[in-house]
Amino acid sequence: DPDSGENVEEQPDRQLLMQVFMQLPKEERIDKHVLQGVVGGSTSSSPEFLIEEKFYEDYNEGRVGPAYLVAAMLRCCYGVLKYPASEKIRREMVKRLNDPLKVARFLSLTALCGPFSCNVTAKLLRVLTAALDLGPSETEVPLERLVLFDQVSRVMPEICQTSISALQQQGNHELHMRGRWLSTEVVGFASAVSRTVPFC
């Protein structure tokens, strides 16, 4: 500020400040957790139980791990569905989430991250459950949602088996709790489907 009487040259450089604020010290990095799961009744290491929660995938380039990006995107979708600025915005989000191509991409992204990394599979099921709820002005269910049900039902057996295997891990509290969260969202989605599918 010219009126403050400070020497401009003595003020800290903005670029240097931003660099310091945006960099995460090495000692604060989040290490990757490898959790053991139960497969076929025996304890073994399995890819679906590998939890990738290292925030920086490449620290030098500032590239964030994919699970954090997918989780953030799903949180944004859920926020628009539950607390929209207008009903029009919510209906537009519901329309997008009923697009078979977009749902397929969501399923691919969560499969890429793994079911328990940042709980992305549980978050996806919660988003889809919220998208199935009818709004105040909606009285009929579009038949296109049957495609959504079919898409999710194809991967649901694998999701259920994964959550059951995680629940069996009594000795691993973190994995056991993530299995409980995933199971809760599976039940919530199934309940939403049963309420939404029209009777024949």
Side-chain angles (χ1 to χ4, degrees):
D1 184 3
D3 299 330
S4 63
E6 294 183 12
N7 189 349
V8 177
E9 295 182 356
E10 295 178 357
Q11 295 181 358
D13 183 66
R14 183 179 184 279
Q15 185 176 2
L16 178 61
L17 278 176
M18 293 301 294
Q19 184 178 4
V20 172
F21 287 143
M22 298 301 290
Q23 283 187 348
L24 185 69
K26 293 183 179 181
E27 58 270 14
E28 295 182 15
R29 295 186 197 177
I30 302 176
D31 294 328
K32 177 174 63 177
H33 302 285
V34 180
L35 302 181
Q36 300 298 316
V38 176
V39 181
S42 62
T43 303
S44 62
S45 180
S46 184
E48 62 264 24
F49 296 120
L50 181 66
I51 298 180
E52 290 276 1
E53 289 189 346
K54 187 167 62 174
F55 186 76
Y56 282 110
E57 191 175 66
D58 190 315
Y59 181 79
N60 294 325
E61 295 183 6
R63 190 165 63 244
V64 178
Y68 284 93
L69 300 176
V70 175
M73 177 179 60
L74 292 172
R75 284 178 177 271
C76 292
C77 293
Y78 186 75
V80 171
L81 289 171
K82 300 300 289 186
Y83 308 102
S86 68
E87 178 62 19
K88 179 181 179 181
I89 295 176
R90 191 196 71 83
R91 285 198 303 267
E92 184 64 27
M93 177 59 71
V94 170
K95 179 181 177 181
R96 300 287 183 182
L97 290 172
N98 279 274
D99 183 356
L101 180 59
K102 287 183 173 55
V103 173
R105 287 175 176 171
F106 273 122
L107 292 172
S108 298
L109 287 173
T110 54
L112 176 67
C113 299
F116 296 120
S117 297
C118 296
N119 292 308
V120 290
T121 301
K123 286 182 172 68
L124 175 60
L125 290 176
R126 178 168 291 195
V127 167
L128 294 178
T129 300
L132 293 177
D133 291 334
L134 296 177
S137 61
E138 297 175 319
T139 57
E140 295 183 358
V141 179
L143 294 178
E144 289 78 10
R145 282 193 188 171
L146 294 176
V147 180
L148 169 64
F149 301 152
D150 181 66
Q151 280 183 298
V152 181
S153 66
R154 295 187 183 194
V155 298
M156 194 59 75
E158 182 180 353
I159 294 175
C160 291
Q161 184 58 51
T162 301
S163 63
I164 291 171
S165 298
L167 285 171
Q168 293 174 348
Q169 281 291 81
Q170 299 292 336
N172 193 324
H173 179 71
E174 184 177 4
L175 183 57
H176 178 76
M177 290 303 300
R178 294 188 188 220
R180 289 181 60 181
W181 293 331
L182 181 55
S183 300
T184 302
E185 298 305 329
V186 168
V187 173
F189 179 79
S191 176
V193 171
S194 64
R195 295 193 309 267
T196 307
V197 173
F199 292 99
C200 297

